[in-house]
Amino acid sequence: MARPSTRPSLQRCPESHPDAAHPSNLMNLPSPTPLPLARPRGFTLIELLVVIAIIALMASLTIGAFNYATKAAARNRTSATQGSIMAGLEKYNTEFGEYPMPSAPDGTAQFNNTTYKAGGAEMLYQALSGDGTSAIQLATGGGRGSDGIIDDEEAKSMMMEMPKEMWLQVGGRFYIIDGFRRPFQYTKGGQPNAVNPTYDLWSYGDDEQNTQEDTLAAKTNPQISVKWITNG
């Protein structure tokens, strides 16, 4: 009896038909539909407004931080200068037996286009640097003006070192200034508007409204003097 064949029967695939790859048949195939080109999407009006708002917020925060840091640095410089002035005034008191008195306490000067009382700041410059005496109330009266140069004779009356950052020349006169480049304020003790028995020494700080306030009521009113830097 004959054994059955184990060889698989060969079947012709439809694709192997000799007409399947004929060029005419390929041309009759449907061409693929082209995909539409994606149009670039722009920002909507709301998205633009949100971006602008975020940029404005970041800018305001940056400017606010910068202004805060600038004012803080100016206040620190003011406090350091104030401490040096107070040390010089104590030396002056030891030398002459009293604290100095301005010859023109109500004198004014322009600083950054703002008028300040500056008679005390001019007196402080002369009393502590030795450069002139005209702004100091003297028993003999008179006195010589300042020229910004301390000679050997004037150096004998110097109460403290006076770096350039501590003083400013305005209109031919010299003034001790604070960290905001404005004149220090001074009232000798015993005056009707003095808080302390020795002297009042203060800076208006970043207060640009009360630039001529020196009354006792203003000095003791925290709503007015909240930004001032005082000696107590």
Side-chain angles (χ1 to χ4, degrees), residues 17-152:
H17 192 277
D19 294 336
H22 194 277
S24 62
N25 293 333
L26 292 177
M27 293 181 64
N28 293 330
L29 292 176
S31 58
T33 303
L35 296 175
L37 296 177
R39 296 179 61 185
R41 178 179 175 274
F43 287 106
T44 65
L45 178 59
I46 295 179
E47 289 173 334
L48 285 175
L49 292 176
V50 170
V51 171
I52 292 173
I54 293 174
I55 293 175
L57 177 61
M58 294 178 63
S60 64
L61 292 175
T62 302
I63 294 174
F66 175 78
N67 290 338
Y68 177 84
T70 300
K71 290 180 181 180
R75 292 184 71 87
N76 289 337
R77 290 193 300 270
T78 298
S79 297
T81 301
Q82 187 179 51
S84 298
I85 295 173
M86 293 172 65
L89 287 171
E90 293 305 317
K91 186 175 180 180
Y92 185 100
N93 184 46
T94 300
E95 182 76 18
F96 297 101
E98 64 176 351
Y99 295 102
M101 175 72 182
S103 60
D106 293 328
T108 61
Q110 287 278 330
F111 290 79
N112 299 324
N113 298 320
T114 302
T115 301
Y116 291 84
K117 284 193 174 182
E122 183 180 11
M123 180 277 299
L124 288 171
Y125 171 81
Q126 291 188 349
L128 301 180
S129 71
D131 181 19
T133 56
S134 58
I136 308 172
Q137 187 178 89
L138 302 173
T140 57
R144 66 185 186 282
S146 305
D147 58 6
I149 301 174
I150 301 175
D151 57 33
D152 293 340

Side-chain angles (χ1 to χ4, degrees), residues 184-198:
F184 263 101
Q185 304 299 310
Y186 174 90
T187 302
K188 184 179 179 180
Q191 302 301 305
N193 59 335
V195 175
N196 299 296
T198 52

